[in-house]
Amino acid sequence: MDTFALVVTIGVALFFTYTNGFHDSANAIATSVSTRALTPRAALAMAAVMNLAGAFMGSGVAKTVSEGVIETPEGSKGMGILFAALVGAIVWNLITWYFGLPSSSSHALFGGMVGAALAGSTTVYWHGVVDKIVVPMFVSPVVGLIAGYLVMTVIMWIFRRTNPHKAKRGFRIAQTVSAAGMALGHGLQDAQKTMGIVVMALVIADVEDYGDPIPVWVKLACALMLSAGTYAGGWRIMRTLGRKIIELDPPQGFAAETTGASIMFGSAFIFHAPISTTHVITSAIMGVGATKRVNAVRWGVAKNIIMGWFITMPAAAVVAAVSFWIVNLAFL
């Protein structure tokens, strides 16, 4: 039963990574596709490869997830808590994907972990939740908004005397690099979150010891599932990010992607903080768009997206808590 529970939990974790991939593929490539810098298929293929590469670039975020959010629960109840946390995150991902809302898969996962832990009477490290999740959740979009505005302002000043058609052609080419950077950052951030969950499951099952390095097969499995999900594509969300917030041109797309990628790498390597790729790219697009004129950004759409951010953690927590109670009644 213990081995079966472990296999099922890891299987559900990998399915979550897959939903994360198709839910968040839009974050990495929506701007490139909407500016026609890349065709959708080429963009998805490039993003899938870069996701795979990014997953092997570090383990700081995975450590935060596996050791800094909740106390590692024990036994079959512990496995039930992890299972319920993942169900909460997956259900919320599918709901927001269906409605085309770019909500955060990361915060769905953290909300699920907290909700399942509370339902299962397991300690939640609230200081870790606040320092590593809640604070970055509010800080990263603000940084994205301001940085996007500043980067775009600098680009406009540097290229102010350049022929607009020439500049757009050049930025279309440059966007392939900035989109690759976004996808690399997405792999670095999001594949590691699932790695952290799988490591927790292995510790609960006594297959690994607390604090052990992440096994290579775990990195590979999470990276491949994220890449597969990315290649499957999230067209609904892509439309929201690429067109509904603001109509982007290539220089704006480049500025938004460069801003987003820089913030993701900085938070992963410097702070080991698991931030949301969705929050970062959405706010960067808004910042870039505001350089045109403030009312060029469709703030009504932006408001709906921000509401989605605020309800993601509590909503996933509630679904996870209910899932744990059902698992507890049926199996524990």
Side-chain angles (χ1 to χ4, degrees), residues 146-158 171 249-256 259 284 287-292:
I146 295 168
Y149 184 87
L150 293 175
V151 168
M152 192 60 214
T153 303
V154 169
I155 286 172
M156 283 159 66
W157 188 81
I158 292 171
F171 275 107
D249 61 22
Q252 291 171 328
F254 174 80
T259 301
V288 164
T291 58
K292 264 188 180 177

Side-chain angles (χ1 to χ4, degrees), residues 48-131:
V49 171
M50 286 299 179
N51 273 182
L52 192 63
F56 286 88
M57 288 178 64
S59 58
V61 170
K63 195 173 172 65
T64 297
V65 172
S66 63
E67 298 174 16
V69 180
I70 64 172
E71 183 181 32
T72 303
E74 294 180 352
S76 55
K77 186 177 95 165
M79 209 62 84
I81 286 171
L82 280 194
F83 176 82
L86 289 161
V87 168
I90 289 167
V91 168
W92 189 247
N93 265 1
L94 293 175
I95 290 169
T96 50
W97 167 79
Y98 181 79
F99 289 106
L101 259 185
S103 73
S104 165
S105 295
S106 312
H107 293 109
L109 179 61
F110 300 134
M113 288 174 76
V114 170
L118 291 173
S121 305
T122 292
T123 305
V124 175
Y125 298 140
W126 290 110
H127 60 91
V129 172
V130 172
D131 293 351

